[in-house]
Amino acid sequence: MAARKRGELFTVLETSTDTETNALSDGEDCPLNLPVDVKWFEIPFRKSESDEEDEEVQENKGESELESTAAEDTADSASYIAGGGCNIILVTGNGIKHEEYEEDSYYATSNNCSETSSSDSDIDFSDLEEEERPGLFGAYDALDEECTSPDFWGEPDQVISIEPFTADSGPQHSLGDDADTLDYFRLLFPDSLFEHMVEQTNNYAIYRQRRSGRSDAHWHPTNIREMRAYVGLNILMGINQLPEYGMYWASDIFIGNAGFKKTMTARRFEKLNQNLHLCDRDSEPSKGELGYDGLYKIRPLLDIVGNTIWDAYLPNRCLTVDECAIASKGRFSPTQYMPSKPLRKGLKVWMLCDSRSGYCHRTRIYVGKPSDDVAAAAVGHKVVTSLVRGLEARHHHLFMDSFFTSVSLLQHLLHQGFYACGPTNPCRHGYPDALKPRNVGKLAPGEFYQCQHGNLVASVTRDAKIVSCLSTNCAPGIVGIGPGKREGDAKDGDCTDMAGLGIPRPLPLLLYQENMRGVDLCDQLRECYQVGRPCKKWWRYFLWFYINLCIVNSYVVLRESRRGLPPTGFNGKQFTQRHFRIRLAQQLIGDYQGARGMERAARKRHADSPLEYGHRLERMSERSRRCRNCTNKGLRHESVFGCKICNVHLCRGGCFSEFHK
């Protein structure tokens, strides 16, 4: 590889597509996991002999001469930026200095993850439901003071050390090849949770009747079969969406759903909606009392589902920490306004997801701003450390947005055996002053500067805008260029070698864009088919959110366990999430039929000879009523006769036999 001239931007590493593909398929040993169409460049850091001699001379100079030298070097750096050069900043005690580079370079060992970028977060504050461990804020303050030291940052010439990821990962279960969708769903949403829902729903129905002082004639206790069917119908409503749930039981043949009518009546579905509950209201502590819990109404759900989703799938090497929003119309104080999200107003949940599959390993619900200013300042630190608790010293790679990323957090994670990467706010404590916008000046697209402290690398570059980034899993001086404009679209003044390529990006930004996709992928799978209907009770949104999350996670577990093969009995070409949801809903409903459904089924079975089963035409009342058979045909006839078993009035002509057919 020839030495670079000063006018050149990069030294191209000649690689073939086959070589890149083989490197990607090596799994754990591959240094990078990025698309094969990315062109790689290196900017090795090495001082020339003349520069080393200059440094020896400068050591003998006085303080006044050092100040003048710093001013000249700063001016030289500014002129190099204006000339369009791509540089690595050198931070010394005398100021900013530019150095020429030679051929040698080193690479960082990265992970095997996937693509897609994420926008900056506007997260405000959090109140985690877990108690903080002693000394958390003391350690946080100590790291914060260390990173603000003047001697903390140095030149980007250190070789970083990254331990390989060797822990077990992937689905963890004992299901066989004959397991179906319901079996995988039970891994995450067990039968014990259905039994708990049945018990608390029946208790709440009695509680409502006792408080109102009158009994509900239309309510009778539910059971686990009916509760499964109720959940199955809500899953189907997310696939076949109608404006109102009553329309599923409409008599119009083009709107009504025969399967819904067969499973249960509209009134029974409404009664289950009214009385559905997850906690014991009699023992719920009031606000201000000892043992008060803001999430008491869903605490059993959080405890059970939190353990099942953590145990069913061991995390892979690359993980994403980000927020998701739940659309809500209920009265819940922590509802957030998030203008940068597609869903601008809703309930906020922080999630730890797999960057490759989108599987959600752990969640934390935002329940309000902490009253303590110290706790509010360290909320990002608290959220990340609580989400990754239990994964220490396994050498996972975490990708997070600018709300979480800070120098003290990445140092803390590095001490615990995590590598991390993400954009950050340059105004945060510990970020090097030399890389702040006021000191760097105006950058051309593709220019970047870096500082280093051990594994911790700070970068600033210009992509669509100025981006500041921190990482502990990337070596400095490595950039990549993805496909961009074609040669005919290149603007005047572009380098000939760069025509047809995009903007060069340093390695930390590339890895972030490729791997900050876990939560977004999980949201895409979850938002395709919503479960549940809008209501005024805030905890219902979280109930349907976790049921939907269990569906997405069980789909991921099935897909990876069977390696893309569909369950036994599926005849389609590709088993998608829609097929998974339909199959799951059908298995949850099974052969369950409510009282009206069984009556209709019996009526259909006995239609050939209704008299043998007690159906006969007889006088129903003294007052005539409309004939049901004529009404179904759009006619209006009244009769005092009818069928007492079916409890309908019928004309004395052929309406009796026609109705029973």
Side-chain angles (χ1 to χ4, degrees), residues 252-268:
D252 192 326
I253 60 175
F254 296 104
I255 298 178
N257 190 303
F260 281 66
K261 298 176 184 178
K262 179 181 178 181
T263 303
M264 65 177 64
T265 62
R267 175 179 291 177
R268 182 58 179 172

Side-chain angles (χ1 to χ4, degrees), residues 22-33 108-112 317:
N22 294 335
L24 285 174
S25 62
D26 288 340
E28 304 296 334
D29 298 330
C30 66
L32 300 172
N33 181 48
T109 304
S110 181
N111 52 7
N112 191 11
R317 177 165 44 177

Side-chain angles (χ1 to χ4, degrees), residues 160 162 410 414 418-421 455-457 470-474:
I160 67 173
I162 298 180
L410 265 64
L414 189 61
F418 295 99
Y419 302 103
C421 177
N455 266 44
L456 184 61
V457 177
L470 292 172
S471 64
T472 56
N473 60 352
C474 305

Side-chain angles (χ1 to χ4, degrees), residues 172 175 181-194 301 304-313 359-360 546-558 580:
Q172 303 292 316
L175 299 177
T181 54
L182 182 58
D183 300 317
Y184 287 95
F185 182 72
R186 282 175 175 169
L187 292 174
L188 306 173
F189 204 90
D191 291 340
S192 59
L193 194 50
F194 278 113
L301 175 70
I304 296 176
V305 174
N307 292 330
T308 56
I309 64 176
W310 182 257
D311 296 335
Y313 193 105
Y359 184 93
C360 178
Y546 279 100
I547 290 179
N548 207 355
L549 187 63
C550 288
I551 295 174
V552 171
N553 281 354
S554 57
Y555 170 67
V556 173
V557 172
L558 180 144
F580 180 89

